[in-house]
Amino acid sequence: MIEILYLAILLAGSFGFGSFVLSRFGFRFYSMMEEFFLSVAFSYALLILVTYWLGFSRLLYPALAWVMLLATLLFGFGALRRLFNSLRRVKFSWNGWLNMEFWLFSLIAFFTVFFMLASLAPPWSYDTTVYHLAVPKIYAMEKGFVEIPTLMHSQWVMAPHMLFLFAILLKNPVLANLVNFSFAILLAVGIYAFCCRFLDRKTGLFAVAVFLTLPMVGILAVSAHADLGLAFFAFTAFYAFACSLENDKGRKMLLLAGFFSGAAAGSKMIGLFFLPVIPLIIVARQLVSVTKRSLQAAIPAVLARLWPFFLAALPLAAVGYVKNWVYSGNPFYPLFFSVFGGKYLDAAVVQRFTDVVSGYGTGVSLPSLLLLPWNITMNPVKFVDLLGIGPLFLAFVPLAVLLPKPRVVKLAIAVGLLSLLSWFFVSQALRYALYAFPVLSIVVAFSIVRLCSALPRRIATAFLVLPVLAFFAFSTILLFGSDAKQVPVGLGLEPDANFFAGLDDGNIFAECKFANENLGNGSRLLLLYENRGFHCNLPYHIGIPDDQTFIDFASMQSDGELAARLRETKISHLVVNRNSPVYQPGKNPYSGRIPAIIGSFISNYTTRLYSGPNADIYAFAAS
Amino acid sequence: MDGFQLRTNRARNFAVIAWICIIILLYFFFTVRYLLEYLGVGLQ
C-alpha cells in the first residue's frame, strides 16, 4: 500500500519538474489539467532518457534515483503550489441522481480505484514475469545494462521499462506496476483535458469512460506491460499535434509532438509505425490546400515543419535501438536477421519468431482489411485477445464519419485509423493496437454526445444511452472476473504464496522462493521449459530450445554435450517446469531428440533437491 | 457533403438507432457465447 504514496511523490515530482522546464521554454497551457498531463509526460520521457544513460554508465543506484526525484520536487515547488491551489478551488455541484455526469464520474472513479488496488498485487502475469519486469529487475540488481543471452525480449526497445526500472530502484516491482497503472490514469486525464479544450466536458467524461471500460485496458492497466506506455506517448503526441494546429505559435507544440512520437517509437517496435502518422497528416493537409502552381512553394514549407519534428523524435526513438545494437548487434533484434545478424540467433530461431508474430489475426488481404472492424469487435480471440475492445467503436466511429464534426474530431479519426492501419500490416495481436484507442474513444464519445443532442430525448435515452450503459455494466463485470483476484493480495489480506498457488498458470513462484532461500549465492539456475524468471533472485539462464542458440540444444547429439555446455555457462541447478502452459515436452518443437537428451541429462547428471507444485529443482554436479 | 441532419429524417434516425442496438446486441451474443465456452459451459 505504501507504494501508492511513492507513486504520488513520483507524479508530483514529474509534474513540478515538467512544468518548470516547459514554462521556461515558453509553453502556455489551456488548463491546469492539460499542464499536469503534458508536464508529467514530458518528465516521464526525460526520465526514460536519463535512466537509459544511467544503465549504459552502470550507475543504477537507488540513492541516485532518490536524489533525482528530490531534485525534481525542488525544481517544481512553484508549480506544485499552483496545482494545490487550483485543486482547492475545485467545487462539486450536486444535480440529482439522474444526472449522467454524476454516473460517468462515479464509474471513472470506481475503475481508477479498482485498477490501483489490483496493481498492488505482486507481478504475476505471463509476459510481465518473463521480461517486462524481469529484465528491469536484472538491470537493477546488476547496477547497469548487461547482456542477457537467453532472453530474446531483453533486446527489444524498452522506453516504458526504463520507468519500471526507475520505480524498482526507488522502491520495488509493485511500484513499477503502479507506474504502468499511472499510464492509464494519465491517459484518462489527458483525454478529459483534450475534450475540455477542443469539445466539451460531457464528451470528455464519456470518452474517459469509453477508454477505461475497454476490456483490454482492464487487463493491461493492472500489470506492467509496454502497450499502455506506447498508447500514452502516442496520445500525448496526438494531443500536442492538435494544439500545434490551433495557432501560428504551434511550432513548439509540434516539437513536443515529435518528442513524444519518439517516445512512442522507443516503447515498442510497433511504435516505429506510429512515428510517420503525424508527418503523413502534415503532408496530407498541405497537399489538400495546395494548387499545382504553389506545389514548389509548399515543399519547403512542409520540410520546415517536418525536420524539427523528426529531430525532436530522434533521441527517444533512437536510444533503445542503439542499446539493442550495442548488446546484440541488431537494432531490430531478432528481425532483419539477414541484414544485421544478431547474437545467439540462427535462421531457424528467427523463422519460428516471425511465424509466431505474423501468425496472429486474419492476414493482410483486402477482404480481411474490410472485415477488420467486425472481426476485432466480435471475434477478438482471432487476434489473441480474450475480451477485446467492446462494441462501441464499431457502433459509433462509422457514425462519427457521417456526422458533421469539428476539425479536431476529423484529426482524431485520421490518427486513429492510420494507427490501426499501421498495426494491421505489422502484427495483428489486438493489444498491440491499444495506441489507436485513446483517440478513437474521443471519436466515440463525440458521436454519442452529438447523437444524444440530435435525436428526440426519449429515443436517445432508450436506444442509445441505455445500451451504452449496459455495455459499461457488462465491462465492469468482465473487469471483476479478470482482476478481482489480485485485490486481496494487493491489500495484504492474502499471503503471496497462497495467491500464486491459486493461479492456474503453472507458475514457478514456490520453486523460486525455495531456490532464493536454500541455494548458495554462487548458484546459477537454468530454467527448462520455462522463461518466467522474475521471482528468481539468483542469476539464471533460460533453456527454451527455439528461442536462442546460447545453449544450442538443436546442435547437441548427446546428454554429455549438454552437460559440457552447462559447465561452460556455470549452471549449478536446473528448474524444470512440468506444467508450463506454453512449453510442453512432446509438442513441437519439444518432441523427439531434444527432450530425450534433456531427460537423459537429468537422470545421468543431476540429483533432485525439491519438487514444487509446478516444477522440480535439480542440482547439477559441475565437476 | 459532410454529415447528415438527424432531426429532419425519421428513417435516418431509425437506421442510426438500429445500427447501434444491433452492434451492441451482437457483441453481447458473441462475447457471452465465447465466455461460456471458455468457462467450460458448452452451448450445444
Side-chain angles (χ1 to χ4, degrees), chain A residues 215 374 377-378 381 386-387 390-391 394-396 399 402-405 410 451 453-456 459 463-464 467 470-471 474 478, chain B residues 1-8 12-28 30-32 34-35 38:
Chain A
W374 172 267
T377 305
M378 304 297 176
V381 184
L386 194 63
L387 301 177
L394 181 58
F396 289 101
L399 295 177
L402 297 172
L403 286 166
K405 53 197 163 293
K410 291 179 188 169
L451 287 169
S453 64
L455 290 166
I459 292 177
F463 297 107
L464 200 154
F471 168 68
F474 181 69
L478 288 183
Chain B
M1 198 37 199
D2 186 20
F4 54 84
Q5 295 298 314
L6 285 158
R7 279 189 189 284
T8 54
R12 276 184 188 166
N13 287 0
F14 178 77
V16 166
I17 291 297
W19 167 258
I20 293 167
C21 290
I22 287 171
I23 293 294
I24 293 179
L25 284 174
L26 282 173
Y27 168 80
F28 281 135
F30 283 116
T31 306
V32 170
Y34 176 71
L35 281 174
Y38 180 76

Side-chain angles (χ1 to χ4, degrees), chain A residues 41-117:
Chain A
F42 181 74
S43 290
Y44 270 15
L46 277 184
L47 192 55
I48 289 166
L49 274 179
V50 172
T51 312
Y52 263 119
W53 175 71
L54 292 176
F56 280 122
S57 315
R58 302 191 63 77
L59 287 171
L60 291 172
Y61 291 97
L64 214 49
W66 273 107
V67 168
M68 282 165 57
L69 185 58
L70 292 176
T72 59
L73 286 168
L74 279 179
F75 273 109
F77 185 73
L80 282 170
R81 207 167 51 185
R82 276 192 299 112
L83 176 69
F84 287 125
N85 284 338
S86 76
L87 284 176
R88 269 176 27 200
R89 286 197 297 271
V90 173
K91 283 180 185 160
F92 292 96
S93 57
W94 173 251
N95 295 320
W97 289 103
L98 288 176
N99 185 283
M100 175 60 75
E101 291 186 21
F102 165 75
W103 285 105
L104 287 174
F105 182 79
S106 303
L107 184 80
I108 293 164
F110 167 77
F111 270 68
T112 305
V113 172
F114 191 73
F115 286 160
M116 187 169 70
L117 296 181

Side-chain angles (χ1 to χ4, degrees), chain A residues 308-528:
Chain A
F309 177 91
F310 281 113
L311 197 67
L314 189 67
L316 274 158
V319 64
Y321 297 93
V322 169
K323 172 183 168 285
N324 298 350
W325 177 66
V326 168
Y327 287 95
S328 75
N330 180 346
F332 306 103
Y333 194 93
L335 303 174
F336 306 110
F337 175 66
S338 56
V339 180
F340 296 104
K343 280 185 181 176
Y344 316 119
L345 290 179
D346 62 19
V349 170
V350 175
Q351 188 59 47
R352 276 191 287 266
F353 174 78
T354 47
D355 284 349
V356 170
V357 172
S358 59
Y360 304 142
T362 53
V364 291
S365 64
L366 185 61
S368 69
L369 179 61
L370 295 175
L371 285 172
L372 186 71
W374 172 267
N375 278 331
I376 58 175
T377 305
M378 304 297 176
N379 201 356
V381 184
K382 276 189 180 169
F383 302 86
V384 282
D385 198 288
L386 194 63
L387 301 177
I389 57 167
L392 302 184
F393 295 91
L394 181 58
F396 289 101
V397 172
L399 295 177
V401 174
L402 297 172
L403 286 166
K405 53 197 163 293
R407 189 174 66 172
V408 76
V409 177
K410 291 179 188 169
L411 184 69
I413 293 173
V415 170
L417 295 186
L418 277 173
S419 302
L420 263 187
L421 202 64
S422 65
W423 163 82
F424 174 79
F425 286 107
V426 179
S427 177
Q428 296 176 7
L430 194 49
R431 72 184 167 90
Y432 301 168
L434 185 63
Y435 65 101
F437 289 99
V439 278
L440 290 178
S441 299
I442 293 171
V443 177
V444 169
F446 166 78
S447 231
I448 293 172
V449 173
R450 177 80 180 77
L451 287 169
C452 277
S453 64
L455 290 166
R457 190 182 168 86
R458 279 186 184 175
I459 292 177
T461 306
F463 297 107
L464 200 154
V465 176
L466 283 181
V468 170
L469 292 183
F471 168 68
F472 286 164
F474 181 69
S475 183
T476 310
I477 296 167
L478 288 183
L479 176 78
F480 252 95
S482 67
D483 294 348
K485 64 179 179 298
Q486 291 165 241
V487 175
V489 68
L491 290 173
L493 303 173
E494 181 186 9
D496 288 5
N498 280 15
F499 170 71
F500 283 99
L503 296 174
D504 185 24
D505 63 350
N507 70 78
I508 56 165
F509 177 82
E511 293 79 359
C512 287
K513 191 165 182 283
F514 174 86
N516 296 339
E517 289 170 358
N518 296 288
L519 305 185
N521 276 339
S523 306
R524 184 185 290 267
L525 309 180
L526 177 71
L527 311 186
L528 270 170

